[in-house]
Amino acid sequence: MRIHDSAIGLVLLLLAAFMAREAAGFPPMPGQRFGPSLVPNLLAAGFAICGLALVVSGLRRREVEGLVELGEWARKGGHVLDVGLVVGGLALLILLWKPIGFLIGATLYTGLLAARFRGGRLPSSLLVAALACFAVDWAFRRLLLVPLPQGPLTGLYW
Amino acid sequence: MAAFETALGLVFEPYTLWMMVLSGLFGLFVGAMPGLTATMATALLVPVTFFMPPVPAVAMLVTATAMAIFAGDLPGALVRIPGTPASAAYVEDAHRLTRKGRAELVLGCGLVFSVIGGIFGSLVLAVSAPILAEFALGFSSFEYFWLALFGLSCAVFISTGRPLKGIVSVLIGLTLATVGIDPTAGHPRFTFGSVELTAGVSFIPAMIGMFAMAEVLRWVTSPRTIEDLAGRQKLGNVFKGQWQLLRRYWPNVLRSNVVGTAIGVLPGAGADIAAWVTYALSKRFSKEPEKFGTGHIEGVVDAGTANNSALAGAWVPALVFGIPGDTITAIVIGVLYIKGMNPGPTIMLNNPEFLYAIFIVFVLANILLLPLGWLAIKVFRRILAIPREFLMPMILVCCVVGSFAINNSVFGVGIMLVLGVLGYLMEENGFPIAPAILGLVLGEMIESHFMTSMIKADGNLLAFFERPVSAFLGAVTLLVWSWVVIGAIRRSLRGGPAPTGEAAVP
């Protein structure tokens, strides 16, 4: 997904303004002329200069037609939906991390994604995903002692 | 000598050796899968290393990366997709040689010259690191500030052809590093009331996101088709003809070793840039430049040697100054801190056995590359047969677990997701990722040295040039910046286009 350089430049200018405003609220260091706001202010100045340069160069170069250009892949069957599923599914997995646990959540996530990428065959995708996630759960919980949440399966396996 | 003997004991423990073999196989697998990089192999291994003693942990990372860089040659030669960006420079020659029925020669060449490059780089690391460390003991906050800034400048101006986007990338990394408690006054910055953010943006989830997750997103948006020559090739003895190549091209090998290691040592530039530069040099000085790109082995010899020698070279600034030479060592520095092995000149005083262990691991990993690499060539067809439709979702799960494991908190997974999407968008729009990662890793170091120096000098900026080494480093850094800025202004006045990154980075 390509975004027009000028639009990126504008975002950087806004970011610079936001950083400078936030940094203005940082207290100075006792006995010094500078404090925690010095580096954020320098970075904000850097963003402002680069943002301006990008706005100007974007208007001169015009590499991207319009504000956003999705590219060839977006025209191929459902690639946009695939990206949405990867990102949205992961966001959902984070939200449901504790209630449904790692094993159930990760199996559903990988199984459904694999089925989507393979163009169907949901049962076999879910089966392979369940086995693979079980192996990951075993390795991390049993061998590496990472407390992955078990959700409704708490106490049913190791 | 006692430290060296202790190091030998640490490395030649069965546990460490097993971990090296296992991570070697993992590195070969990741490198051989088109689209998965050596940096990704390192990022995915980090959560596993949390639970290990330091030497096996570092041994795993060193072995996996050496294997992954070599294994990148396999899909490059057989399916014309470089397995890692470090193999991209010579993919055309390697693939055309395969088409001519010389897969045996090109794969063997990749293997043998990777080993030679790797061992050369390891020797340079072993010789130069202790000397440099002793020299660096006299450094103060002024020198460290300039050195870190020089590293970031190199990352900006070497890794991308369009400096403006490289600078933005560095600024993003530095800004992420300012999140949390500030290093001098202890004031929380940009935390938005979140307790988790007061500890800052943890860079392991950040790197897993920016490299591994962004890679998966790139695959999702790619055509997902592969031209397979692997099934049509008969592979016999891959070592046949390599001695003749070495005898014929020994000056090239020597030159590529030196240039590759030097590029590796330079902060911010790693194996991929070493491969591109040595391939270009190879063509420039070749007696048959017209044959390059048509299936000529000379460029493969040169760049194949250089990308592995750069790997070890990148460890020199990482170990001696705590400044990463490339993205892989940026991750390694994080692991070293977690293990309490703070990189810097005092590592030679505090943990000499650890430093020797790293040297031994490097040489051993490169020797191990011969049998494991041979095995990878033999089973490559099977590696490629693993359906990407399953592999990519599983990589995402590994990213999730790895990001969770750093603090046992789902917040890390959130950081991984956000920075994964950001990393994908950045690369799509020509903003290189490496400077952002280096900015994130070096941010706190730069700020604390800068603030300490400012307090020492009472705000007098001239004090940054008062000590001889500091003045030299400052002058070099400012020279690099002026050269780039003047170049950009001249181009802009002439009305010509700014260079793009294609020449330097695939």
Side-chain angles (χ1 to χ4, degrees):
Chain A
M1 189 170 88
R2 299 197 63 197
I3 304 167
H4 198 287
D5 272 0
S6 299
I8 298 176
L10 275 177
V11 172
L12 293 183
L13 284 172
L14 286 175
L15 179 66
F18 169 76
M19 282 175 69
R21 207 195 67 173
E22 281 281 307
F26 300 157
M29 230 165 16
Q32 299 292 338
R33 283 180 290 155
F34 32 79
S37 62
L38 178 60
V39 170
N41 274 329
L42 288 173
L43 292 173
F47 274 128
I49 295 168
C50 292
L52 261 178
L54 272 175
V55 169
V56 174
S57 78
L59 291 175
R60 278 171 60 182
R61 289 156 71 104
R62 288 187 178 275
E63 281 174 352
V64 178
E65 289 298 324
L67 210 58
V68 176
E69 203 175 83
L70 279 178
E72 269 301 303
W73 61 271
R75 283 186 271 281
K76 293 206 171 108
H79 273 32
V80 178
L81 182 65
D82 290 350
V83 174
L85 284 175
V86 169
V87 177
L90 199 50
L92 203 64
L93 185 64
I94 292 172
L95 285 176
L96 300 175
W97 187 248
K98 277 199 174 149
I100 63 167
F102 168 75
L103 192 56
I104 295 176
T107 300
L108 286 175
Y109 180 55
T110 45
L112 292 174
L113 272 185
R116 165 82 193 160
F117 294 151
R118 296 166 79 203
R121 292 178 279 178
L122 183 64
S124 62
S125 300
L126 277 174
L127 182 69
V128 175
L131 289 173
C133 291
F134 200 65
V136 171
D137 189 279
W138 179 79
F140 274 82
R141 184 194 306 286
R142 289 282 289 196
L143 297 184
L144 305 175
L145 305 175
V146 175
L148 293 171
Q150 289 177 296
L153 300 179
T154 306
L156 290 181
Y157 66 105
W158 52 68
Chain B
M1 205 56 209
F4 188 74
E5 280 168 21
T6 316
L8 274 177
L10 286 169
V11 175
F12 285 95
E13 262 189 20
Y15 177 70
T16 312
L17 295 176
W18 269 115
M19 287 301 121
M20 285 181 75
V21 172
L22 288 178
S23 63
L25 292 173
F26 173 74
L28 286 170
F29 171 73
V30 174
M33 290 302 285
L36 309 189
T37 62
T39 312
M40 183 188 203
T42 322
L44 290 178
L45 269 183
V46 169
V48 182
T49 63
F50 289 164
F51 308 92
M52 287 179 180
V55 172
V58 172
M60 274 188 98
L61 299 177
V62 169
T63 315
T65 47
M67 303 290 165
I69 293 288
F70 153 69
D73 294 353
L74 297 175
L78 294 172
V79 293
R80 204 169 164 264
I81 304 174
T84 65
S87 301
Y90 48 93
V91 69
E92 197 58 49
D93 278 307
H95 185 68
R96 283 180 188 237
L97 278 164
T98 305
R99 278 183 169 279
K100 290 176 188 169
R102 308 194 69 192
E104 224 169 78
L105 180 79
V106 76
L107 292 177
C109 164
L111 179 56
V112 170
F113 290 95
S114 289
V115 173
I116 294 174
I119 291 178
F120 181 88
S122 310
L123 294 178
V124 171
L125 171 69
V127 172
S128 63
I131 301 170
L132 273 173
E134 207 176 318
F135 177 63
L137 276 175
F139 280 17
S140 70
S141 59
F142 295 105
E143 284 84 6
Y144 273 111
F145 166 72
W146 282 122
L147 204 60
L149 200 63
F150 176 67
L152 280 188
S153 313
C154 288
V156 169
F157 302 128
I158 296 171
S159 67
T160 174
R162 203 173 166 203
L164 179 60
K165 293 197 169 179
I167 296 171
V168 171
S169 178
V170 143
L171 289 175
I172 290 173
L174 290 173
T175 303
L176 288 173
T178 61
V179 175
I181 301 287
D182 102 276
T184 35
H187 183 76
R189 295 182 302 194
F190 307 116
T191 55
F192 311 107
S194 156
V195 180
E196 306 254 21
L197 275 180
T198 49
V201 176
S202 181
F203 58 73
I204 299 296
M207 282 189 245
I208 293 178
M210 282 185 140
F211 289 111
M213 180 162 175
E215 206 75 63
V216 175
L217 284 174
R218 254 193 300 285
W219 175 80
V220 170
T221 57
S222 71
R224 307 179 202 167
T225 51
I226 288 176
E227 183 209 359
D228 187 5
L229 274 183
R232 290 183 247 151
Q233 292 290 324
K234 278 204 176 109
L235 291 171
N237 179 10
V238 291
F239 297 112
K240 203 173 138 195
Q242 301 306 324
W243 176 242
Q244 283 78 3
L245 279 183
L246 184 62
R247 271 188 20 200
R248 185 168 176 198
Y249 293 119
W250 70 266
N252 297 47
V253 175
L254 196 65
R255 182 183 60 212
S256 299
N257 270 322
V258 173
V259 174
T261 313
I263 290 176
V265 172
L266 213 58
D272 42 351
I273 296 176
W276 282 100
V277 170
T278 47
Y279 184 83
L281 281 177
S282 179
K283 190 174 177 183
R284 172 75 183 74
F285 292 109
S286 171
K287 287 177 187 143
E288 311 157 296
E290 71 287 350
K291 286 189 181 172
F292 277 69
T294 62
H296 188 46
I297 197 79
E298 196 175 349
V300 183
V301 169
D302 270 89
T305 308
N307 56 17
N308 271 66
S309 63
L311 272 186
W315 279 66
V316 175
L319 285 174
V320 176
F321 307 117
I323 293 171
D326 60 3
T327 46
I328 293 169
T329 42
I331 300 174
V332 169
I333 283 181
V335 174
L336 294 180
Y337 275 118
I338 290 169
K339 297 280 164 210
M341 295 284 169
N342 299 0
T346 50
I347 198 170
M348 195 63 202
L349 298 176
N350 300 337
N351 306 93
E353 69 284 356
F354 174 67
L355 203 60
Y356 290 131
I358 292 180
F359 304 153
I360 299 167
V361 159
F362 257 103
V363 176
L364 199 61
N366 281 291
I367 293 171
L368 198 63
L369 182 52
L370 274 177
L372 289 186
W374 175 83
L375 185 74
I377 292 172
K378 292 290 173 192
V379 300
F380 174 69
R381 224 177 297 171
R382 293 214 167 84
I383 298 178
L384 202 69
I386 294 171
R388 229 63 55 84
E389 292 81 3
F390 277 118
L391 189 69
M392 291 299 173
M394 277 321 294
I395 286 175
L396 282 173
V397 166
C398 292
C399 293
V400 168
V401 178
S403 308
F404 176 80
I406 175 89
N407 288 328
N408 293 336
S409 152
V410 77
F411 188 76
V413 186
I415 289 181
M416 187 272 292
L417 172 63
V418 172
L419 292 187
V421 174
L422 177 70
Y424 168 74
L425 286 175
M426 282 171 67
E427 282 236 304
E428 280 284 290
N429 289 284
F431 294 87
I433 303 256
I437 289 294
L438 293 188
L440 177 60
V441 173
L442 291 177
E444 192 179 336
M445 181 186 182
I446 290 187
E447 181 168 6
S448 60
H449 286 307
F450 176 64
M451 293 302 282
T452 311
S453 307
M454 286 290 277
I455 293 167
K456 273 191 214 164
D458 197 23
N460 176 15
L461 289 174
L462 285 177
F464 283 78
F465 297 92
E466 275 170 6
R467 292 164 59 94
V469 178
S470 158
F472 172 75
L473 289 170
V476 171
T477 310
L478 293 181
L479 249 165
V480 170
W481 279 85
S482 343
W483 178 59
V484 174
V485 171
I486 291 170
I489 293 171
R490 282 178 60 186
R491 264 195 308 276
S492 153
L493 288 178
R494 276 205 307 261
T500 52
E502 284 76 15
V505 179

